[in-house]
Amino acid sequence: TPSLTHHIHHGSARLRNAEELTKTNIIITTYGTLRSDIQLLLKIKLPIVFNLGSIASNKKVVLILCE
């Protein structure tokens, strides 16, 4: 829907404040950044989209992410 806002959470200049991240509807990131910032991202209640394709062969990781 056109009214949804998104934030691309990646790179060295990415946001480090949970309050700032909640000003958007969806967060888009990479799996590596998700792992690095997991404590920050767990503080927010937003949909997070990331590329799972590179780790899909690791079933243990996929199960943890789905819990």
Side-chain angles (χ1 to χ4, degrees):
T1 176
S3 62
L4 290 177
T5 59
H6 71 281
H7 170 71
I8 297 175
H9 186 71
H10 183 69
S12 60
R14 65 185 180 269
L15 296 175
R16 307 283 182 177
N17 182 308
E19 186 176 324
E20 287 294 315
L21 286 169
T22 60
K23 293 181 179 179
T24 186
N25 298 111
I26 300 169
I27 296 173
I28 301 169
T29 191
T30 63
Y31 177 71
T33 302
L34 175 74
R35 287 190 60 197
S36 295
D37 292 355
I38 191 68
Q39 294 304 316
L40 170 66
L41 296 172
L42 285 173
K43 294 178 184 178
I44 59 175
K45 305 294 185 205
L46 292 174
I48 299 173
V49 178
F50 62 95
N51 178 3
L52 189 61
S54 62
I55 61 156
S57 63
N58 187 338
K59 293 177 183 176
K60 183 177 179 180
V61 173
V62 173
L63 289 175
I64 290 169
L65 293 171
C66 294
E67 291 180 354

